[in-house]
Amino acid sequence: MAEEHRIKVLIVDDHQVVREGLRTFLEVQEDIEVVGEAADGAEGVERAGELLPDVVLMDVKMPGTDGIEALRRLRELGNPARVLVVTSFTEQRTVVPALRAGAAGYVYKDVDPDALAGAIRSVHAGHVLLQPEVAGALLAQDEGTGHGRGNGLTEREREVLALIADGRSNREIARALVLSEKTVKTHVSNILMKLDLADRTQAALWAVRHGIGA
């Protein structure tokens, strides 16, 4: 596969054996390239700025700057990388803050190699990976978000929002609605602004809570 079409991945984890294991999983994938590693969140943010990865595999619990703080810094810096949390912690109190900080989803460290590669491709395509129980916890915690009025959305924006809730990427939304990706991006930006939401994850949850889409 041509190099320009490969998904560039940065691995951020404080355990070297985990980083080596993840790299080994991914090196056999023709469409994925591991472009670098980092041993903590601060280094991860720095390397993400240098290497411009498409996807960051981010541990949550790390000494110094943890994964959640690193996620917040990446968002503040406007780094476009999609972050997939790779964690050994199954508690909602660990995963939910990461998603609220901007993660596109999460997998566990014992994930099957093919499933990990699939998750990377999915978040790179613009999907949000949420398990039902975590989505429920996010809904409960985010009742106060999205103060914008849903009736301020245009009909087209409501269609786009429904497809976001269905887990569609911008490219898939564009195909479904016969629009350009640029137009879809504009609609998504308008939806987030009107509903006072930070990202697609919150938009998807808002839509579900208000009976739009999935």
Side-chain angles (χ1 to χ4, degrees), residues 30-48:
E30 292 185 357
D31 60 336
I32 296 173
E33 176 188 6
V34 177
V35 295
E37 300 177 9
D40 60 42
E43 184 185 4
V45 172
E46 182 179 353
R47 301 227 66 195

Side-chain angles (χ1 to χ4, degrees), residues 126-148:
H127 298 293
V128 176
L129 298 181
L130 291 177
Q131 293 187 0
E133 65 273 16
V134 173
L138 277 167
L139 282 169
Q141 292 188 14
D142 285 348
E143 283 297 333
T145 65
H147 297 299

Side-chain angles (χ1 to χ4, degrees), residues 2-210:
E3 185 174 341
E4 60 267 24
H5 296 303
R6 301 178 78 183
I7 302 170
K8 296 184 293 184
V9 174
L10 171 67
I11 300 171
V12 183
D13 195 291
D14 60 316
H15 292 100
Q16 182 177 350
V17 66
V18 173
R19 296 197 305 271
E20 291 176 351
L22 290 172
R23 180 183 283 274
T24 299
F25 284 172
L26 299 175
E27 282 181 339
V28 299
Q29 306 296 326
E30 292 185 357
D31 60 336
I32 296 173
E33 176 188 6
V34 177
V35 295
E37 300 177 9
D40 60 42
E43 184 185 4
V45 172
E46 182 179 353
R47 301 227 66 195
E50 296 169 350
L51 299 170
L52 301 178
D54 300 305
V55 176
V56 177
L57 299 183
M58 181 81 73
D59 190 15
V60 176
K61 298 293 186 181
M62 292 180 286
T65 302
D66 64 15
I68 295 171
E69 179 59 27
L71 275 159
R72 294 191 182 112
R73 291 186 188 179
L74 287 171
R75 174 180 283 180
E76 290 170 359
L77 292 169
N79 192 297
R82 301 276 286 170
V83 178
L84 180 63
V85 168
V86 183
T87 180
S88 57
F89 296 89
T90 60
E91 299 93 338
Q92 291 179 6
R93 60 187 174 85
T94 299
V95 176
V96 169
L99 294 169
R100 288 171 61 90
Y106 67 96
V107 294
Y108 298 123
K109 287 187 177 178
D110 60 355
V111 65
D112 177 87
D114 290 336
L116 174 61
I120 290 171
R121 296 183 187 108
S122 183
V123 297
H124 178 250
H127 298 293
V128 176
L129 298 181
L130 291 177
Q131 293 187 0
E133 65 273 16
V134 173
L138 277 167
L139 282 169
Q141 292 188 14
D142 285 348
E143 283 297 333
T145 65
H147 297 299
R149 298 176 58 186
N151 58 9
L153 298 177
T154 66
E155 184 60 33
R156 178 63 84 188
E157 287 166 353
R158 292 178 72 87
E159 291 175 342
V160 171
L161 181 57
L163 291 171
I164 291 174
D166 195 39
R168 306 288 189 91
S169 66
N170 284 354
R171 178 174 296 181
E172 290 169 333
I173 293 172
R175 289 175 179 169
L177 299 180
V178 195
L179 300 170
S180 70
E181 284 190 62
K182 183 177 180 180
T183 298
V184 171
K185 288 179 181 179
T186 299
H187 285 314
V188 173
S189 295
N190 289 339
I191 289 167
L192 297 179
M193 178 183 66
K194 289 181 178 181
L195 298 181
D196 190 26
L197 299 171
D199 53 39
R200 295 173 73 95
T201 302
Q202 289 188 0
L205 293 167
W206 190 97
V208 172
R209 186 163 64 239
H210 291 85

